[in-house]
Amino acid sequence: MSASPPILEVRNLKKHFSSRKSMFGGEATVKAVDGVSLSVMPRESVAVVGESGCGKTTLGKLVLALEKPTEGQVFFDGRDMAGMTAGAVRKLRTDMQVIFQDPYSSLDPRMSVEAVITEPWIIHGMHKDPATRARKLAKLLDDCGIAKTHLARRPHEFSGGQRQRVGIARALALDPRLVVADEPVSALDVSIQAQILNLLKDLQKERALAYLFISHDFSVVRHLCARVAVMYLGRIVETADCESLFNDPQHPYTEALLSAVPVPDPSVEKRRKRILLCGDVPSPLKPPSGCRFHPRCRYMKESCRLDDPAPTQARPGHFAACPILPFKEKRSDAALVAL
Amino acid sequence: MRGPVLAVRGLRTHFMMPERTVKAVDGITYELYPGKTLAVVGESGSGKSVHALSILKLLPMPPAEIVSGQVLFRGEDLLTMPAERLRQVRGDRIAMIFQEPMTSLNPVLTIGEQIAETVVLHQKKSKANAWEKAVGLLAKVGIPHPEERARDYPHQFSGGMRQRAMIAIALSCEPDVLIADEPTTALDVTIQAQILELMKELQREYRMAIVLITHNIGVVAEMADDVVVMYAGRAVEQAPVDALFKDPKHPYTKGLLESVPSIYKRKERLEAIKGQPPDLTGGFAGCPFAPRCAVALERCAGDDPPQFHLEGGRMSNCWREER
C-alpha cells in the first residue's frame, strides 16, 4: 500500500436526471450514475469501461465538476469539491484537465492551434512573460508531437490524429496532475490510435500524470491502464488490477464483455466459444430489480431477482458485485434459469 | 454453381471535382464465391466504402465516375447493364446494409412496412402476404414479439434491433450477395457479437456470399475467409485470412496488424505506423505508402509498384516481392 492519499476519490456518487415521460404522466428518473465509489492514486491510470448508456461519461463529468452530483462526494487531493466556492473549483481545474473523444467538435474552428493551446494560460493568468511562454509552448509542442510550423493553422487543416494531439496539448498546458480522458482514441483510425496511445503512455511517465480513462474498448484499456472499473447501468460491477481482471474476471457481465471482443487472430477466433448476451442493455429509466444484470445473466438464480449485490472481495484488490459470487464455482449447481 | 458469384475487375472510381480529381478507388480486383466472406479492410479514406457503393452504382454521378473496371454478377456486368435490369438485381440478388441503421431506415414508415415494401417490389406478393413474410423475417433475425414489433417505427428500436431490421430487409429476397458496410461499427461489443453471429448463421442457411467492409481487424479475423487490404484507394494486399494474419506481406498490412492492441497480451509499446494517410488528389509518383513505410527501398518513392501475385492465391502491391 502506498502511503500517499488518492488524488481522486469518489464516494457513493449518484447523478439522477429527471425526464418528463409524457404530457400527462409523472416524472421519470434516469439514474445515470447510481452509487459509484472509486479512487485514483497519483500517477495511476484507472479505466472506467462499459457500454453506451452505462453512465461512464456522466461519471467523468461529475469528477470534473461539470455536473453537480445528486448525492455523494468527490474528493480531489483529499478536499471535498462540493464545499468549494466557484473560484476554488476554477483554481482546482488547473490540476485536472480533460481530453474529449471527438477532436472535430472539441476544438474551436476559428482559433489557431497556438490560440487553442495557450488559452488556458490566459484564463488562469499564467506565463505572462513572453520568453517563458515561448519556452513552455515549445516544450509542449515537442512533447505532443506537433510541428512548430503548424501553430498558425486552424483545426480544419488537420487530420483527426493531429487534432487529438492539439487537444492533448491544450489539456496538458496547465501541468495538471489528473487527466480525465473520455474515449480519446475512439474516433481515430487504428494506425493513428496506436500513435496517440503511445503518446498518452509517454506523457504519463514524463509528467507524472494520473488518468481516469473512460472507454468502451477493452484492448485499449489493457494497453494503457493499471486498474479497471467495469460499469453497468450506473453501477460499478467489478474493479481489479488489469491483469487480474483480464485473466480471471469475477463478474458474469465482465466475462461476457471480454468474450465479445473480437480478437485479431483468426486461429483464436476459430477455436473459441463466445458467450452471447441475449437482448439489449435495459433502459436506465427502469433498471431491473435485484442485480441489474440478472435478465441477461446466464448464471442467474432466483435470488438474483431480489438481492442487490454489494461489492465483495474475490481476492486482494479484486472486487465484484455479484450475488452468486464466486459464480464460476456455482456454474455446475446453479439452477440456470432459461433465458 | 462453381464460378464466382461476384467478380470485381480493375475497379476505379474517381470523383471529378472542379479543380481536382480524387482517386477514391484506384484499382481493386477480387472474386467472391457462394457461402464465403470477403473482408475489405482499410482506414478512413482508403476507398473501401466507395468501392462498395460503386458495385451497385449507388454513388452520385457526377461527381463520381467509374473510370474503368467491371463488376460481374454471375457473369453479367452491373456497370454496363441497363438501369431497369440493375434495379431488379439491386435489393433482390445483391443486398446492402450500412453502418448507421437509423439513417438508412425511413423514420415515418413502420419496420414491417419497410420490410414488406421490398418483398412487394421484388417478389410481386400481395401486401398481406408481404406483411406476413415481414413478421417471419423479424422473427428470423431474433426480434422478440415480431407481430407487435413490426408495427413499431425505427425510433422505437434500439441500435442493435435496427441493424437486425436492416438485415431482415436485406434478407427478404434471399440475396446471393450481401454487402455489409461497417455493419457493427456503431454498436456496442456485446451487440456486435450478436449481429456477427446472426450474419454467420444466416450465411450458412442461405449460402449467401458476404462482402464485409470494416476497419476492425478483430472483426476480419472472426468473419472473413479472404481479405483485401486497401490503402489510398487501392488493394495493397490480398490473401486468405489465416495466411494474412500469420504472414503479412505488405508493410502496410504488417503495420496495421501490429498497431492493434490486444486484450490477450499487453505490449509495452504499440508499433504505430508513423505519419498520416495521404491526400488522394492528383496521383502518386511511386508507392502511396512509401512516405510512411519503415522498409521502403530507394525506388519506392518514384516507381509505382505493380501487383505481385504470390503463392497461395496471394497478392502484394510492394516492390519487395519482386523476384
Side-chain angles (χ1 to χ4, degrees), chain A residues 101-174:
Chain A
Q101 168 171 4
D102 183 0
Y104 291 83
S105 59
S106 58
L107 300 175
D108 188 332
R110 293 166 304 178
M111 287 168 83
S112 68
V113 167
E114 179 168 10
V116 168
I117 298 175
T118 56
E119 191 184 31
W121 294 338
I122 298 165
I123 292 170
H124 292 278
M126 290 161 74
H127 312 317
K128 284 182 179 158
D129 166 44
T132 319
R133 179 172 296 197
R135 202 186 62 237
K136 285 264 176 195
L137 183 61
K139 168 95 171 76
L140 205 51
L141 293 178
D142 194 38
D143 284 357
C144 297
I146 303 167
K148 247 195 198 133
T149 49
H150 289 168
L151 274 178
R153 295 203 191 168
R154 278 162 223 278
H156 75 264
E157 296 175 70
F158 291 111
S159 65
Q162 287 169 308
R163 282 178 211 220
Q164 200 56 297
R165 288 178 192 272
V166 174
I168 292 170
R170 175 182 61 184
L172 298 183
L174 297 171

Side-chain angles (χ1 to χ4, degrees), chain B residues 235-237 249-252 287 289 293 295-297 300 304-308 310 315-323:
Chain B
V236 293
E237 178 160 6
K249 297 286 185 199
H250 196 283
Y252 175 65
C287 171
F289 187 61
C293 185
V295 293
L297 307 166
C300 295
D304 199 353
Q307 299 194 336
F308 291 100
L310 316 168
M315 183 282 285
S316 174
N317 180 28
C318 175
W319 280 121
R320 291 190 161 267
E321 299 305 330
E322 194 182 30
R323 296 279 135 81

Side-chain angles (χ1 to χ4, degrees), chain A residues 50-52 159 161-162 165 189-195 197-199 201-202 205 216 218-226 242-243 246 253 256-258 260-270 272 274-281 296, chain B residues 42-45 48 158-161 187-194 196-197 200-201 215-222 224 241-242 245 252 255-277 292:
Chain A
E51 297 182 277
S52 33
S159 65
Q162 287 169 308
R165 288 178 192 272
D189 276 316
V190 270
S191 74
I192 307 300
Q193 172 180 295
Q195 293 176 1
L197 285 175
N198 284 339
L199 175 65
K201 223 172 180 177
D202 293 343
K205 227 176 267 166
H216 71 281
F218 268 120
S219 27
V220 165
V221 163
R222 172 142 215 196
H223 181 69
L224 193 73
C225 297
C242 226
E243 289 310 303
F246 281 96
Y253 176 61
L257 208 51
L258 285 172
V261 180
V263 181
D265 183 345
S267 55
V268 174
E269 280 296 341
K270 268 164 207 148
R272 76 193 190 119
R274 162 167 292 138
I275 303 165
L276 277 187
L277 285 181
C278 60
D280 290 316
V281 179
R296 303 174 80 195
Chain B
E43 300 181 276
S44 22
K48 56 191 192 303
S158 68
M161 283 165 67
L187 306 174
D188 279 317
V189 274
T190 60
I191 308 300
Q192 164 171 287
Q194 293 172 359
L196 295 179
E197 197 53 46
K200 280 194 273 193
E201 265 171 46
H215 71 283
N216 187 324
I217 310 290
V219 171
V220 173
E222 183 182 342
V241 69
D242 293 313
F245 279 81
Y252 175 65
L256 202 58
L257 294 180
E258 276 166 10
S259 58
V260 187
S262 163
I263 64 161
Y264 280 160
K265 46 181 184 275
R266 184 185 176 113
K267 298 182 204 163
E268 218 16 70
R269 280 187 81 72
L270 296 169
E271 295 302 324
I273 303 174
K274 61 177 189 192
Q276 309 289 332
R292 303 176 74 189

Side-chain angles (χ1 to χ4, degrees), chain A residues 9 28-29 46 99 103 109 130 134 138 143 154 190 199 210 231 251 260 264 267 311-312 320-321:
Chain A
E9 194 183 354
T29 309
V46 176
I99 303 168
D143 284 357
R154 278 162 223 278
V190 270
L199 175 65
M231 271 186 93
H251 196 284
S267 55
T312 322

Side-chain angles (χ1 to χ4, degrees), chain A residues 49-75:
Chain A
V49 192
E51 297 182 277
S52 33
C54 72
K56 56 192 192 296
T57 292
T58 306
L59 176 64
K61 286 184 177 167
L62 290 167
V63 163
L64 291 162
L66 295 172
E67 293 276 5
K68 256 197 151 67
T70 310
E71 219 184 292
Q73 292 153 301
V74 178
F75 296 87

Side-chain angles (χ1 to χ4, degrees), chain A residues 200-271:
Chain A
L200 288 171
K201 223 172 180 177
D202 293 343
L203 289 170
Q204 182 185 27
K205 227 176 267 166
E206 283 160 27
R207 292 172 171 253
L209 296 172
Y211 286 135
L212 184 67
F213 191 84
I214 296 164
S215 178
H216 71 281
D217 189 334
F218 268 120
S219 27
V220 165
V221 163
R222 172 142 215 196
H223 181 69
L224 193 73
C225 297
R227 215 145 54 79
V228 193
V230 180
M231 271 186 93
Y232 188 73
L233 281 175
R235 296 266 177 89
I236 289 179
V237 296
E238 182 160 4
T239 42
D241 287 343
C242 226
E243 289 310 303
S244 184
L245 186 113
F246 281 96
N247 294 329
D248 189 19
Q250 293 296 310
H251 196 284
Y253 176 61
T254 314
E255 186 196 38
L257 208 51
L258 285 172
S259 127
V261 180
V263 181
D265 183 345
S267 55
V268 174
E269 280 296 341
K270 268 164 207 148
R271 268 185 282 119

Side-chain angles (χ1 to χ4, degrees), chain B residues 56 87-95 118 122 169-170 172-173 175:
Chain B
L56 289 175
R87 254 199 301 280
Q88 288 169 4
V89 173
R90 203 194 268 155
D92 183 42
R93 299 293 86 222
I94 304 181
T118 319
H122 287 293
I169 296 175
S172 58
C173 299

